[in-house]
Amino acid sequence: MYSFNFIVGYIIIISLIGMVMINSFRRFIITYRIFGKAKKRDFHKQPVPNSCGVVFLFLFILGLIILEPFIEKKDLTGLIAGGFIICVTGFWDDLKIMRAYKKLFYQLIAVVFIVIHNELAIENLHGFLGIELINPIIGLIFTTFIGVFMINAFNLIDGIDGLSGITSIISFAAFAIVFWLLDYKGYFGACFLMIGILSSYLPFNFSTKRKVFMGDSGSMFIGYILFVMTMLVVNTTNPVVDNLLFDHAVLPIMPLVIFIIPIIDSASIYLYRLSIGRSPFSPDKFHLHHLFLLYTNSHLVSTLAISASLIFVIVLFSIMVFQTTTVFFISSYFVLVFAMIIITNIIRVKSKEKLAKL
């Protein structure tokens, strides 16, 4: 599983199969005119196949065949069933634009199911923020909130070409390193499965003639998989952790660092909308990627700039976890997040008129 040849071969095979499937799906959507309704924040003028996440689900199930010996069958069943619910919900939203409360309802079903079925509820934070054991009911509610937040937060950053795809690849690569440290072979492989899937998607997403979007079916599915991986890290009791050079209490920060872009974007945009008297769930063009797009005037440059920022933060905190105290490490993360929320909202206020014209 940890063989370089296996990793490269696995990614290449999944990518090639994915490109064939995505192209076939694209042609099917165009032939039968199965396009979703246009949204106010869309940049494209012509209809574009916008529900490619359906292909992600099929590729994921196909790729899990190779990983089946390394993941318990019960966990596989929960992973696939929950992913199916999320993907179908996103697909229907791509086509019809569901009401927010309906989408939230199905998200809750999927998250509660995977949390209970795969036993992912947080029970012990090992001293993170001074918290040890957690009441089971509170743990279930808290874990469910995290799941719904992560799914929707990742959905929100899928607004410009390549951003969700490239940041996902970075995130899954980072999780792969974490799972390698924890010796979770199955989920280590699942990270490269997702990298292969996303690698097959990006050429189409950046293309002008064969463009597709992952849609809510794709972004919500990715957020769902990242949530499951986050809970695996937070809840790990693997003895390998005890041999590493950092405190168990920093484990919750690891996935938070990997997920920092959606966290900053969601938290800041919700606060901004509330500050101007709007619903936090109302769509607009004031997201983090819109701020970058305003000053770069390029989807590619904006995507690369945000992705480079994510890599920098992950590398920085990866070094800090071995070089600083637990208190300083955790404090630094929250200081950075709060600072970025304030800065992005200041920029939003100053650029309000320009952003509205995007």
Side-chain angles (χ1 to χ4, degrees):
M1 178 61 69
Y2 297 138
S3 165
F4 177 78
N5 291 335
F6 169 79
I7 293 171
V8 173
Y10 190 46
I11 291 175
I12 291 175
I13 291 172
I14 292 297
S15 296
L16 292 176
I17 296 174
M19 292 182 75
V20 172
M21 290 183 66
I22 289 173
N23 193 46
S24 298
F25 179 80
R26 183 186 68 84
R27 289 180 176 179
F28 175 81
I29 295 296
I30 292 174
T31 300
Y32 293 97
R33 307 291 297 174
I34 311 175
F35 296 106
K37 291 184 178 180
K39 298 178 181 179
K40 292 181 179 180
R41 59 182 181 274
D42 288 345
F43 288 102
H44 58 283
K45 303 301 180 182
Q46 300 298 322
V48 176
N50 69 331
S51 52
C52 198
V54 173
V55 181
F56 292 3
L57 176 63
F58 284 107
L59 284 169
F60 185 72
I61 296 173
L62 179 65
L64 285 178
I65 294 174
I66 303 297
L67 305 177
E68 188 268 339
F70 304 100
I71 303 177
E72 292 186 14
K73 289 184 179 180
K74 176 186 175 183
D75 291 348
L76 278 176
T77 302
L79 199 59
I80 293 171
F84 179 80
I85 296 171
I86 283 293
C87 199
V88 170
T89 301
F91 177 69
W92 191 249
D93 190 49
D94 290 332
L95 295 183
K96 300 295 183 179
I97 307 181
M98 296 175 65
R99 291 183 179 274
Y101 73 88
K102 285 187 177 180
K103 187 160 64 171
L104 177 61
F105 174 74
Y106 290 115
Q107 289 173 350
L108 284 170
I109 291 176
V111 171
V112 171
F113 169 78
I114 189 68
V115 169
I116 294 176
H117 186 274
N118 287 29
E119 300 177 1
L120 296 176
I122 298 174
E123 297 178 351
N124 194 333
L125 287 178
H126 305 284
F128 175 69
L129 300 180
I131 303 172
E132 295 286 348
L133 294 175
I134 298 177
N135 178 279
I137 301 299
I138 295 176
L140 175 61
I141 295 172
F142 182 48
T143 307
T144 301
F145 168 79
I146 293 173
V148 172
F149 175 82
M150 290 186 69
I151 290 169
N152 285 290
F154 195 85
N155 184 30
L156 290 178
I157 72 166
D158 183 30
I160 59 176
D161 292 345
L163 180 59
S164 53
I166 293 179
T167 54
S168 295
I169 289 176
I170 295 169
S171 298
F172 285 116
F175 265 116
I177 295 173
V178 175
F179 288 133
W180 173 69
L181 290 172
L182 298 176
D183 197 30
Y184 283 11
K185 292 182 179 179
Y187 289 98
F188 173 83
C191 289
F192 290 104
L193 168 57
M194 291 302 300
I195 290 173
I197 292 171
L198 292 161
S199 297
S200 69
Y201 162 76
L202 284 174
F204 290 95
N205 187 226
F206 279 119
S207 173
T208 54
K209 296 182 179 180
R210 300 189 300 164
K211 182 178 287 295
V212 299
F213 298 132
M214 66 172 65
D216 285 7
S217 54
S219 59
M220 286 169 55
F221 177 71
I222 293 171
Y224 162 80
I225 299 298
L226 288 172
F227 161 66
V228 172
M229 291 183 173
T230 295
M231 290 303 102
L232 287 167
V233 173
V234 173
N235 289 326
T236 185
T237 55
N238 196 308
V240 174
V241 176
D242 298 328
N243 297 324
L244 298 176
L245 301 177
F246 52 78
D247 192 334
H248 214 115
V250 307
L251 281 177
I253 291 293
M254 290 182 176
L256 290 178
V257 170
I258 295 171
F259 206 70
I260 193 168
I261 297 298
I263 288 174
I264 291 173
D265 180 51
S266 299
S268 62
I269 195 71
Y270 288 157
L271 288 173
Y272 174 74
R273 289 168 181 167
L274 288 171
S275 70
I276 60 175
R278 292 178 55 190
S279 166
F281 307 108
S282 57
D284 55 37
K285 292 185 178 180
F286 288 76
H287 287 281
L288 187 63
H289 50 269
H290 292 123
L291 296 178
F292 276 83
L293 189 60
L294 177 64
Y295 293 100
T296 64
N297 198 33
S298 167
H299 283 229
L300 178 59
V301 174
S302 298
T303 291
L304 293 177
I306 295 172
S307 300
S309 301
L310 176 58
I311 293 173
F312 173 78
V313 171
I314 291 175
V315 171
L316 175 63
F317 278 87
S318 296
I319 295 172
M320 287 177 58
V321 73
F322 295 105
Q323 302 294 330
T324 63
T325 65
T326 299
V327 173
F328 183 82
F329 179 80
I330 295 174
S331 300
S332 297
Y333 175 80
F334 286 109
V335 168
L336 175 61
V337 170
F338 289 140
M340 291 309 302
I341 289 174
I342 293 171
I343 291 171
T344 52
N345 276 340
I346 290 174
I347 296 174
R348 282 190 181 99
V349 172
K350 292 186 176 181
S351 308
K352 182 178 180 180
E353 294 183 1
K354 293 180 179 179
L355 285 169
K357 296 177 182 179
L358 279 178

